[in-house]
Amino acid sequence: MPGNTLFQEYDAAGDGDEMFAPDGQVRSTYGFLREALSGLGLEEFQSRSETLASSYLDQGVTFDYAGEERPFPVDAIPRVIAAEEWALVSTGIEQRVRALEAFLDDVYTDRRAVADGVVPGSLLDSSTYIVDAVQGYRPPNGVRIHISGIDLVRDGSGGFRVLEDNVRTPSGVSYVLSNRRAMAQGFPELFSHRPVRRVSEYPGRLLAALQAAAPHSVGEEATVVVLTPGRYNSAYFEHSLLARTMGVDLVEASDLVERNDRIYMRTTAGLRRVDVIYKRTDDDFIDPEVFRPDSMLGVPGLVRSILAGNVVVANAIGNGLGDDKLTYTYVPDMIRYYLGEEPVLPNVDTWRLEEPESRAEVLDRLDELVVKPVDGSGGKGIVIGPAATDAQLQELRTRLEQDPRGWIAQPIVQLSTIPTLMEEGPEPRHVDLRPFALNSGEDVWVLPGGLTRVALPKGEMIVNSSRGGGSKDTWVLASQTPTQVEVSTPEGEVRVVEQTGVDEPFDEDEDLLGTEPEPVTAAIPILDLEDEDQPDHDEQPDPDEQEEHSDAQ
């Protein structure tokens, strides 16, 4: 590759590389990027990459790995997605979120999908995620999945498939924002060759979606807070960044109190009513009156306040069934049933082990497949058959026979690779993609790009940060004209969805990596007298005395 010393030793190793074809030719989507990088030699590129990594440590962009706080690895070779392909991805994500919204609403109200045979009643009856306390509850604007992260992988033909759904507390968007800011500062010349769609509008969009979810009784602008388990939580950086960039308070459980089925925030001027809580604490810890009575991370009376219609929690309590990997296998049927459409993005082929024929096939092929716990997160519990020992496979076999409902199996998906800077230069590393979507009740907006996670160890297929993975800035190329996507119905009819791909000129100047905010800084509105005669100010337990519970990664 003349003129590009950075990639002269690069071996794409097959046809699954997103930047280079097997014959060494750069793929058209990446042509401009190779040209932009051609002026940087390996030494210069490594030097700037090291500076970028150091800035992450200085700014606290970290994650917990094996009990150690580390700077989150970011690779300086971005992932590039064409505008036309992104239009398809965005349409598919929106479709999937709308179907899951309809399903969760159905689960907690009429259960029509069970009556009509779309999903079996056993899916609900056997789930540990159903929250009986919120049966019959419907949020004010009907939204339960305010924020979602839908994990995608490329299949052997190069198309995207859905790997799993995250609709409880999807994390990682802070790295999307931080990566873009760092790349714009460290490699500004790369952005001058092609217009790249902005990601900096995410905090504003998130705040708008949360305010739109407020109770109907809120006449003025809704008060929104971000509820964190505390600064020792592995995702605390994200909690603080989102609170600051939205301009809202970051609170812990001890900063909130329930009075007369309403939630208030302690401020220096008294109690301030809270309308919407963006929770970053798992359901099991959110309210000791309903869930774990020993939790110091929740707010007693929160569920009562939700059911009274006085506060909204995002994402909704009880969304866990949507994350269940067994539920995932039924989502294509949900799309047909609730929306009357064919799925735009297919699932990865999956066996349900509770079905006898599927279980028998999987048990016969354990050494060929990937087996996952339905409630797993962060890559935990996954067994990759070809890499497992005989003893591990035998142990797995026993567990599958004892608890078939708790597992699914999938073929090994050969994840696509992207050049990733290693010690000797760029090498192919496997990646996935987590696009983030926000639902305001009026529409579902998909952040252009999302989080590309990269498995840094050679040959590793699990990309999660808990397994030592890193990330890349994800560039969606802007288009001068809207792109049309065709969506089919089961009857073969076609409707055209128009996806815009035009942004204002590139501008990522928002200060996304400044000083962390302190919890509860508001000192304005006081408790309304009609809400309560005379509130007391009893102190709540210190959440730091309780072991922190991590977000699902």
Side-chain angles (χ1 to χ4, degrees):
M1 289 162 231
N4 193 341
T5 57
L6 185 62
F7 296 104
Q8 64 182 1
E9 302 296 330
Y10 186 76
D11 181 6
D15 58 3
D17 195 81
E18 296 190 14
M19 185 170 183
F20 291 100
D23 63 1
Q25 295 299 308
V26 66
R27 299 188 191 275
S28 58
T29 303
Y30 281 85
F32 82 98
L33 181 63
R34 195 205 57 177
E35 291 303 315
L37 291 170
S38 63
L40 295 176
L42 177 59
E43 185 176 342
E44 169 70 11
F45 193 75
Q46 286 177 325
S47 175
R48 291 210 217 174
S49 295
E50 290 170 2
T51 300
L52 189 154
S54 298
S55 72
Y56 266 36
L57 183 59
D58 294 340
Q59 295 156 354
V61 189
T62 61
F63 74 106
D64 180 79
Y65 179 67
E68 178 185 347
E69 198 71 11
R70 296 185 179 182
F72 191 68
V74 55
D75 184 71
I77 302 174
R79 182 186 210 167
V80 183
I81 300 176
E84 297 75 18
E85 185 172 34
W86 182 253
L88 186 71
V89 168
S90 182
T91 301
I93 296 295
E94 177 184 353
Q95 180 192 61
R96 199 167 182 98
V97 170
R98 287 190 289 120
L100 284 166
E101 281 278 13
F103 172 66
L104 288 172
D105 181 75
D106 194 11
V107 165
Y108 287 101
T109 54
D110 303 326
R111 301 199 171 186
R112 291 183 296 112
V114 173
D116 291 341
V118 179
V119 298
S122 60
L123 174 66
L124 280 56
D125 297 338
S126 62
S127 174
T128 60
Y129 292 121
I130 299 291
V131 179
D132 292 336
V134 296
Q135 286 286 358
Y137 169 73
R138 180 169 281 150
N141 69 341
V143 177
R144 299 174 189 271
I145 308 172
H146 307 81
I147 307 101
S148 57
I150 310 297
D151 291 350
L152 308 178
V153 295
R154 286 192 188 272
D155 59 19
S157 64
F160 279 109
R161 287 179 176 260
V162 179
L163 184 64
E164 64 180 51
D165 305 295
N166 298 279
V167 297
R168 281 181 294 176
T169 52
S171 60
V173 75
S174 60
Y175 302 127
V176 177
L177 304 176
S178 301
N179 289 352
R180 179 59 56 83
R181 177 70 171 172
M183 286 293 293
Q185 291 177 337
F187 297 88
E189 68 271 33
L190 300 186
F191 293 91
S192 62
H193 294 257
R194 285 288 300 275
V196 177
R197 295 193 61 184
R198 292 179 289 114
V199 300
S200 55
E201 62 184 295
Y202 181 88
R205 292 264 193 173
L206 174 59
L207 179 60
L210 294 174
Q211 290 178 331
H216 296 311
S217 59
V218 178
E220 69 279 7
E221 187 174 273
T223 298
V224 177
V225 299
V226 176
L227 176 61
T228 176
R231 62 179 62 250
Y232 297 110
N233 181 269
S234 62
Y236 182 75
F237 166 77
E238 176 155 303
H239 309 165
S240 59
L241 184 144
L242 291 176
R244 179 167 49 77
T245 52
M246 284 193 290
V248 305
D249 283 294
L250 179 68
V251 301
E252 298 181 26
S254 59
D255 299 317
L256 301 179
V257 61
E258 177 267 333
R259 296 286 186 271
N260 292 343
D261 294 340
R262 286 183 168 85
I263 300 298
Y264 297 91
M265 171 175 58
R266 290 188 171 91
T267 77
T268 56
L271 294 185
R272 180 184 185 185
R273 192 179 70 199
V274 173
D275 304 307
V276 181
I277 299 173
Y278 177 19
K279 71 174 177 69
R280 297 303 300 259
T281 301
D282 288 349
D283 284 0
D284 285 348
F285 295 83
I286 198 68
D287 183 347
E289 287 187 0
V290 175
F291 301 101
R292 290 183 51 159
D294 62 339
S295 173
M296 306 291 284
L297 305 179
V299 183
L302 177 58
V303 171
R304 284 191 282 107
S305 302
I306 293 170
L307 297 179
N310 295 323
V311 69
V312 169
V313 167
N315 283 343
I317 291 173
N319 275 15
L321 184 62
D323 275 15
D324 190 316
K325 292 180 177 62
L326 188 57
T327 300
Y328 156 91
T329 68
Y330 292 98
V331 174
D333 293 328
M334 295 177 194
I335 292 172
R336 299 181 184 99
Y337 177 70
Y338 292 114
L339 308 182
E341 300 171 353
E342 285 295 321
V344 173
L345 296 173
N347 278 13
V348 172
D349 296 336
T350 306
W351 286 269
R352 301 171 186 139
L353 297 190
E354 62 178 1
E355 298 174 353
E357 291 185 5
S358 295
R359 183 165 65 252
E361 180 179 356
V362 169
L363 292 175
D364 189 52
R365 299 176 55 194
L366 274 185
D367 59 344
E368 305 173 15
L369 305 174
V370 177
V371 182
K372 303 177 179 179
V374 298
D375 59 352
S377 63
K380 298 174 183 176
I382 293 177
V383 178
I384 300 177
T389 65
D390 290 342
Q392 289 172 328
L393 292 177
Q394 184 55 48
E395 180 186 356
L396 177 63
R397 180 183 302 276
T398 301
R399 298 178 70 180
L400 300 186
E401 291 172 338
Q402 293 175 344
D403 179 27
R405 197 277 185 220
W407 301 82
I408 61 167
Q410 296 173 332
I412 292 180
V413 179
Q414 293 300 324
L415 304 182
S416 58
T417 60
I418 299 178
T420 302
L421 184 62
M422 307 308 292
E423 187 174 344
E424 299 300 323
E427 297 179 11
R429 290 294 186 268
H430 294 109
V431 294
D432 76 352
L433 177 65
R434 175 175 289 182
F436 293 90
L438 300 174
N439 188 356
S440 67
E442 296 293 328
D443 63 4
V444 177
W445 176 78
V446 183
L447 174 67
L451 177 64
T452 288
R453 298 181 295 183
V454 54
L456 296 178
K458 188 172 184 178
E460 177 65 72
M461 300 292 285
I462 299 178
V463 300
N464 304 77
S465 59
S466 57
R467 298 285 289 264
S471 69
K472 289 175 172 285
D473 191 12
T474 309
W475 293 5
V476 173
L477 300 182
S479 172
Q480 296 304 309
T481 58
T483 302
Q484 294 183 337
V485 178
E486 293 186 350
V487 179
S488 302
T489 68
E491 294 76 28
E493 299 177 357
V494 175
R495 71 181 180 90
V496 176
V497 177
E498 190 169 85
Q499 291 283 357
T500 60
V502 182
D503 276 332
E504 296 298 322
F506 176 80
D507 180 10
E508 302 288 358
D509 289 336
E510 285 82 352
D511 180 17
L512 296 174
L513 300 176
T515 305
E516 292 181 357
E518 289 298 321
V520 187
T521 57
I524 353 177
I526 313 304
L527 178 68
D528 292 338
L529 293 179
E530 61 266 30
D531 290 338
E532 173 168 299
D533 293 334
Q534 186 62 46
D536 63 60
H537 293 259
D538 293 340
E539 290 300 319
Q540 297 295 302
D542 185 352
D544 289 339
E545 296 176 2
Q546 176 78 9
E547 181 179 352
E548 302 295 352
H549 186 73
S550 297
D551 286 341
Q553 296 291 325

